[in-house]
Amino acid sequence: MTSMLSFVLENVPSDWESVNTYNSSYLLFYVNAHSREAENVKAMFNSTSLNINTIRRVQNPFQYGRFKLRQEMLNSNLVDTVFHIVHASDLETALKYTCDYRRYKNSHGSEGENKHPRFYPNVQNALFNPFTTITTDNCVLVVNKISGSPKTQSDYYIQYVVDFK
């Protein structure tokens, strides 16, 4: 009998590194600056004047599996790439708790009674908004989200962490 984790690990995105064991909920991998994967991520930031320092791929098979199950449950293949800003000191919390901004120390997460983090539909909106100033103290999370308003944390998963110079 195959475990759910084994099944998810057999069906992860093609860019993911092969990992035998996850001792934590996620792993971070630096993306080669000259790879196709890095070029795809950089293209999302071309409209900005910011210099990307590093791109890290987030591999969280637990969140990815929940996301895929949720997609199947909703019978939805419509996925948006959205952006979420997090202070560097809150990065580990954001990755561990799937952008649960209520756990952040330096919140850029949301406002009011919203139960989900503030996602921006494009990099321009994320970087140039009244709530955030991008500095080397902030990261931009590139997130895949099922189209529409999120209902649960299973409606999205973090793909990349982008840091700036």
Side-chain angles (χ1 to χ4, degrees):
M1 175 137 171
T2 303
S3 73
M4 179 68 88
L5 179 58
S6 296
F7 180 78
V8 170
L9 291 175
E10 291 171 8
N11 296 284
V12 296
S14 60
D15 290 333
W16 280 25
E17 304 288 328
S18 179
V19 176
N20 292 333
T21 305
Y22 281 83
N23 294 326
S24 63
S25 60
Y26 68 90
L27 296 174
L28 289 175
F29 292 90
Y30 283 95
V31 175
N32 180 325
H34 304 292
S35 68
R36 174 188 51 81
E37 182 180 15
E39 293 305 320
N40 290 340
V41 174
K42 289 176 190 175
M44 296 179 209
F45 291 81
N46 277 348
S47 60
T48 71
S49 59
L50 297 171
N51 293 319
I52 293 175
N53 187 33
T54 59
I55 300 170
R56 292 175 281 172
R57 180 184 336 99
V58 179
Q59 292 188 193
N60 184 335
F62 308 100
Q63 184 60 34
Y64 180 75
R66 287 175 32 188
F67 176 80
K68 296 308 278 183
L69 284 169
R70 180 80 170 147
Q71 256 189 314
E72 187 171 316
M73 185 185 96
L74 295 174
N75 196 25
S76 174
N77 290 323
L78 299 174
V79 176
D80 299 323
T81 298
V82 295
F83 304 89
H84 177 65
I85 298 171
V86 64
H87 192 275
S89 66
D90 289 321
L91 179 60
E92 184 176 334
T93 300
L95 296 175
K96 184 175 181 180
Y97 297 105
T98 319
C99 301
D100 186 347
Y101 67 91
R102 297 167 297 180
R103 296 175 182 259
Y104 296 171
K105 295 176 194 131
N106 298 292
S107 184
H108 293 296
S110 198
E111 61 187 16
E113 297 300 313
N114 193 355
K115 295 179 185 174
H116 299 287
R118 181 181 292 124
F119 292 129
Y120 297 96
N122 59 56
V123 175
Q124 292 291 74
N125 287 1
L127 299 177
F128 306 106
N129 69 76
F131 304 106
T132 305
T133 304
I134 291 297
T135 67
T136 55
D137 292 337
N138 293 328
C139 309
V140 174
L141 304 182
V142 180
V143 178
N144 265 4
K145 179 183 78 60
I146 296 171
S147 292
S149 296
K151 304 283 188 273
T152 74
Q153 282 188 327
S154 297
D155 288 357
Y156 45 88
Y157 77 96
I158 305 164
Q159 285 187 289
Y160 298 100
V161 176
V162 179
D163 302 295
F164 303 96
K165 293 180 185 174

